[in-house]
Amino acid sequence: MPCFVYNGLALFFILEKYVSEIEIFYKILRYLYVKFIHINNKITAMKQKQKENSINRRKFLRMTAVAGAGAAFFPKDMNASAISLPTNPSSQEQNDEMPVRTLGHTGLQIPILSMGVMRADNPSVLRAAYNSGIKHFDTAHGYQNGKNEEMVGNFFEGKPRDSYIIGTKVKFDYPLKDNFETEFEEMVDTSLKRLKMDFVDIFYIHAVKDVETMSDERVVAAVKKIKESGKARFIGLSTHAHKPELLDTAVKLGIYDVVLLSYNFKLDNLDETNAAVKRAAEAGIGLVAMKTMAGGVEGADGKKKINAQACLKWVWKNEYITTIIPGFTNYDELDECLAAVKSPELNEEENKYLASLRNKEMLFCQQCGKCSEQCPEKLPIPDMMRAYMYTYGYKYAQLSKETLAELKLPENICSSCNNGCKVSCPSGFNVGEKIAAIKPVMDIPEVFLT
């Protein structure tokens, strides 16, 4: 029996205690549909990978195997820095060649390629990235319900502290709760415990949407305390909002050292964003880019992977962006990123390729918020579209469910729109269809998600 059918039957018995038989049957069908789409997408991606794969996995397997096997023969109390292990020649060469930029007034020297650990669950990929010369690793308190930070902590335990740069993030509700300060500090302490570190290099307030949040006196006081207490060397904010005014406010406030922003060739307000990026960089703020691959796929159907190298090179054109944190999860994707570093200049063919996608509907939401203004229920549609991208672009339904859970959506969303969705998206998204496609993820138990 196929595993997704088995999981569907398991879900049937779980739900039987709580809902009617009709509801059970309906939810099972929705669950099986999402699983079918997920498996079909994986098969499509595997077929494409077989056609296009020019990657030598063995070099990474040798690299990680040598390091792992070698460790077993050394006493636990031996200083790791005194051990000279064999290295993969191509890894050492990559380390020597990877360009480095300075992260604003922090003075941190960071290679232009870093790693977003968000979706990774295999420490061997983390090891391969580290051995390849990548130095900066980005995680967050909420990723994989804390398991992501734990994996990072376990991997870096015992390694020289100056050989890596860790960034993590904490998210909180706004308007602030009465006990915000206590909860905030507890989350920071929990993250440090998971990471097995006394401090992180960069601590971000996570997913800032507006100027009010980052400017709030209580928020400012809380992040200052984190830095002054030595729990973070530098503080910053992350944002998916594509709002240049957030960068300008960071300059005005003068307390945020780093901004992690969504930045790619699909941005509608690119000129305004580039101008704000320049102002922030000139003020000494370090800039890190995420969502650089605009959803990871070429079209709205999510079937064909985007040219990752072209996307990375496009971002590197901007000298004010210090580094990029692509979320690779396997050796193939890592190798593609490393190949881009070897030749970081966009060529004519890659320029034409990106130009052909510029006005094409993809899975990347502009986060403009015009949809929420039109919605009778005032749903947080931009965040829901981001969750849709995680499922059908990233092929990572677990992150989608985590994102949707954080939104605290009502149980019967869209119930007031009996005659169809009234939202008209400037980017051409069929919002009603996308919400209908993402809703089943909310009902699937986390144990069944991948």
Side-chain angles (χ1 to χ4, degrees):
M1 180 182 294
C3 62
F4 67 90
V5 174
Y6 176 84
N7 289 340
L9 291 173
L11 180 60
F12 178 90
F13 292 111
I14 293 172
L15 293 173
E16 188 177 20
K17 298 178 181 179
Y18 305 104
V19 295
S20 68
E21 292 183 3
I22 296 176
E23 269 191 292
I24 294 170
F25 182 67
Y26 174 61
K27 290 195 174 187
I28 289 175
L29 288 179
R30 289 201 305 176
Y31 170 75
L32 294 178
Y33 172 73
V34 171
K35 266 301 186 186
F36 171 78
I37 293 296
H38 178 71
I39 293 170
N40 184 61
N41 285 338
K42 278 198 169 184
I43 292 173
T44 301
M46 288 172 61
K47 288 180 178 178
Q48 182 181 343
K49 189 181 296 181
Q50 289 172 355
K51 292 180 181 179
E52 300 177 357
N53 184 20
S54 60
I55 298 140
N56 184 359
R57 290 188 198 180
R58 293 177 183 174
K59 66 183 180 182
F60 292 114
L61 293 174
R62 285 198 301 269
M63 188 188 333
T64 56
V66 168
F73 294 95
F74 293 107
K76 290 183 179 180
D77 59 350
M78 182 175 285
N79 188 338
S81 63
I83 301 170
S84 178
L85 290 175
T87 58
N88 184 288
S90 61
S91 170
Q92 186 62 46
E93 180 183 351
Q94 182 66 56
N95 192 11
D96 293 340
E97 292 182 356
M98 196 178 296
V100 170
R101 294 179 182 176
T102 304
L103 187 66
H105 63 216
T106 71
L108 294 174
Q109 297 288 306
I110 302 182
I112 61 174
L113 178 66
S114 297
M115 179 180 183
V117 192
M118 176 176 69
R119 295 183 294 141
D121 57 6
N122 183 354
S124 295
V125 177
L126 197 63
R127 180 181 297 111
Y130 177 71
N131 289 344
S132 297
I134 290 174
K135 190 173 183 180
H136 174 41
F137 299 84
D138 178 271
T139 182
H141 181 88
Y143 292 164
Q144 300 173 20
N145 293 320
K147 294 179 181 178
N148 199 258
E149 285 182 326
E150 289 175 356
M151 180 184 72
V152 172
N154 289 334
F155 173 74
F156 283 107
E157 186 178 19
K159 291 180 173 57
R161 190 59 184 86
D162 61 354
S163 69
Y164 57 88
I165 295 169
I166 298 297
T168 195
K169 305 179 283 290
V170 163
K171 186 181 294 186
F172 51 85
D173 294 329
Y174 196 84
L176 302 177
K177 299 178 182 177
D178 291 340
N179 63 342
F180 159 71
E181 288 82 0
T182 301
E183 284 191 355
F184 184 76
E185 191 166 1
E186 286 176 353
M187 286 191 286
V188 173
D189 289 342
T190 298
S191 288
L192 290 174
K193 184 177 180 181
R194 293 169 180 164
L195 291 165
K196 300 182 178 181
M197 298 173 189
D198 296 325
F199 67 91
V200 290
D201 300 281
I202 309 169
F203 171 78
Y204 300 98
I205 54 173
H206 196 181
V208 174
K209 297 179 182 179
D210 50 56
V211 168
E212 291 73 22
T213 302
M214 63 186 290
S215 305
D216 190 290
E217 291 182 358
R218 294 172 66 192
V219 173
V220 170
V223 295
K224 278 185 174 180
K225 183 179 178 182
I226 297 302
K227 186 175 182 180
E228 290 167 358
S229 65
K231 295 177 181 180
R233 295 173 65 191
F234 306 103
I235 55 177
L237 64 96
S238 74
T239 178
H240 303 93
H242 314 153
K243 294 179 179 178
E245 58 264 34
L246 297 181
L247 290 169
D248 289 331
T249 302
V251 172
K252 180 180 177 181
L253 292 171
I255 63 162
Y256 295 104
D257 305 301
V258 186
V259 173
L260 171 59
L261 71 156
S262 180
Y263 184 77
N264 60 59
F265 71 97
K266 287 286 286 182
L267 288 179
D268 282 347
N269 62 345
L270 186 57
D271 291 340
E272 297 89 339
T273 298
N274 280 336
V277 163
K278 184 175 185 292
R279 290 191 293 270
E282 290 176 343
I285 293 177
L287 297 161
V288 180
M290 63 175 170
K291 301 295 183 289
T292 52
M293 297 181 196
V297 290
E298 285 188 6
D301 58 7
K303 291 182 178 179
K304 187 175 181 182
K305 289 182 68 175
I306 203 165
N307 183 332
Q309 292 191 43
C311 294
L312 295 176
K313 293 176 184 181
W314 182 91
V315 177
W316 286 329
K317 285 195 311 177
N318 191 328
E319 62 181 332
Y320 299 113
I321 300 293
T322 298
T323 191
I324 300 173
I325 55 166
F328 46 82
T329 59
N330 56 56
Y331 301 115
D332 297 343
E333 292 169 353
L334 168 58
D335 198 72
E336 190 169 7
C337 293
L338 293 174
V341 173
K342 290 182 179 179
S343 179
E345 301 293 330
L346 270 173
N347 59 41
E348 184 179 352
E349 183 179 346
E350 289 166 334
N351 264 316
K352 289 181 179 178
Y353 167 77
L354 294 178
S356 71
L357 300 179
R358 187 73 179 84
N359 297 315
K360 181 179 179 181
E361 181 185 345
M362 294 167 57
L363 296 185
F364 179 74
C365 171
Q366 296 291 334
Q367 304 285 306
C368 66
K370 294 178 181 177
C371 48
S372 294
E373 295 172 4
Q374 302 172 51
C375 177
E377 299 182 9
K378 301 301 178 186
L379 294 173
I381 296 174
D383 292 313
M384 297 173 76
M385 294 301 99
R386 187 156 52 88
Y388 182 94
M389 178 182 70
Y390 292 154
T391 293
Y392 295 96
Y394 291 9
K395 312 297 187 288
Y396 192 43
Q398 179 181 342
L399 180 59
S400 178
K401 184 177 176 67
E402 290 173 7
T403 302
L404 293 169
E406 290 172 352
L407 300 178
K408 298 179 175 62
L409 298 168
E411 186 173 348
N412 298 313
I413 58 174
C414 302
S415 58
S416 62
C417 300
N418 298 322
N419 298 320
C421 185
K422 299 176 175 61
V423 172
S424 176
C425 171
S427 298
F429 281 15
N430 188 322
V431 173
E433 283 187 3
K434 290 184 183 297
I435 290 179
I438 201 65
K439 280 169 66 176
V441 176
M442 298 167 61
D443 297 322
I444 302 173
E446 189 174 326
V447 68
F448 298 134
L449 294 174
T450 56

